[in-house]
Amino acid sequence: DAKTTQPNSMESNEEEPVHLPCNHSTISGTDYIHWYRQLPSQGPEYVIHGLTSNVNNRMASLAIAEDRKSSTLILHRATLRDAAVYYCILNAAGGTSYGKLTFGQGTILTVHP
Amino acid sequence: GAGVSQTPSNKVTEKGKYVELRCDPISGHTALYWYRQSLGQGPEFLIYFQGTGAADDSGLPNDRFFAVRPEGSVSTLKIQRTERGDSAVYLCASSFGGSGVTDTQYFGPGTRLTVL
């Protein structure tokens, strides 16, 4: 499976934008890029996913590099509720890894008031 | 609507005992996943069901772990002869199951298992 690399931790101030990077230099053409986050004492929750084009939803934006070897999750205005562990995950279409999520260590995001 | 629920929320057992952990997925979701999360680590895949059948059980650590989903809805993860190393949060997730790799997985709150 292709691997992802994320910083261990990042900090932000409330109401400021946050850019969470993810490197995936061995990504294959059929790998989707998914982001999940896990708030303290909760199960992970879906944030966003994409394949090649940048994506926006009500929670965040996903910017994907043209060569797809990296991506950035963008929280436009961080709130205290956004403090969580953010996981960048590659999910390959087809094969035995159908739907299975392989989590790494993720990035611990701290948001300061 | 109701999300994924897991019972019990906490389970404390003694080494060598048998435990069952239950997952109630979102109604209508055909795909169901079990993950295990140790302290400070990301969740680790255990098993995936599509309907009633286990489509991928490659993440089960050994034959003490077994999971069933007899009617394609509720699933039970069973652990025999528990060991202290089995202590972790066991997470269940479900998804619609229609598009596989782009399906959103909805996670339950987890069951915290402690083996003394």
Side-chain angles (χ1 to χ4, degrees):
Chain A
D1 292 337
K3 302 288 187 206
T4 63
T5 304
Q6 300 177 251
N8 290 333
S9 62
M10 291 187 65
E11 297 187 16
S12 173
N13 294 318
E14 202 174 9
E15 298 189 5
E16 291 184 355
V18 181
H19 291 232
L20 297 164
C22 181
N23 287 321
H24 29 78
S25 58
T26 59
I27 192 170
S28 73
T30 57
D31 284 338
Y32 281 78
I33 303 160
H34 292 250
W35 284 81
Y36 281 75
R37 72 180 186 181
Q38 188 170 22
L39 279 64
S41 301
Q42 295 188 26
E45 68 173 343
Y46 168 80
V47 178
I48 201 166
H49 77 272
L51 183 61
T52 55
S53 302
N54 294 344
V55 184
N56 299 295
N57 66 21
R58 64 174 181 81
M59 289 181 70
S61 296
L62 176 60
I64 301 173
E66 195 169 337
D67 64 5
R68 302 211 322 127
K69 293 182 184 298
S70 66
S71 60
T72 302
L73 178 70
I74 303 166
L75 306 179
H76 295 286
R77 291 185 64 199
T79 69
L80 296 178
R81 195 196 172 277
D82 292 321
V85 181
Y86 286 78
Y87 296 100
C88 170
I89 301 165
L90 300 183
N91 202 351
T96 59
S97 60
Y98 184 88
K100 176 174 72 177
L101 298 176
T102 301
F103 290 82
Q105 295 280 85
T107 297
I108 300 171
L109 176 66
T110 301
V111 180
H112 299 289
Chain B
V4 177
S5 62
Q6 294 186 244
T7 54
S9 55
N10 280 285
K11 176 70 176 178
V12 180
T13 191
E14 294 179 343
K15 180 175 178 297
K17 299 290 189 183
Y18 168 82
V19 296
E20 290 189 352
L21 311 179
R22 176 186 168 109
C23 173
D24 279 86
I26 293 172
S27 177
H29 281 189
T30 62
L32 185 145
Y33 303 81
W34 284 98
Y35 295 83
R36 176 169 72 171
Q37 186 171 25
S38 300
L39 193 63
Q41 305 294 316
E44 175 188 24
F45 169 78
L46 295 177
I47 187 168
Y48 154 56
F49 287 90
Q50 181 59 43
T52 60
D56 182 356
D57 64 357
S58 63
L60 295 178
N62 51 60
D63 61 6
R64 295 186 298 105
F65 289 75
F66 189 71
V68 295
R69 196 185 184 200
E71 298 178 356
S73 180
V74 171
S75 176
T76 304
L77 178 66
K78 309 181 181 194
I79 310 174
Q80 298 177 321
R81 304 182 306 278
T82 52
E83 300 177 356
R84 292 193 180 90
D86 298 335
S87 296
V89 175
Y90 289 80
L91 294 161
C92 176
S94 71
S95 71
F96 180 67
S99 54
V101 71
T102 60
D103 274 350
T104 295
Q105 292 188 25
Y106 296 86
F107 284 79
T111 293
R112 181 176 299 279
L113 175 66
T114 303
V115 182
L116 301 176

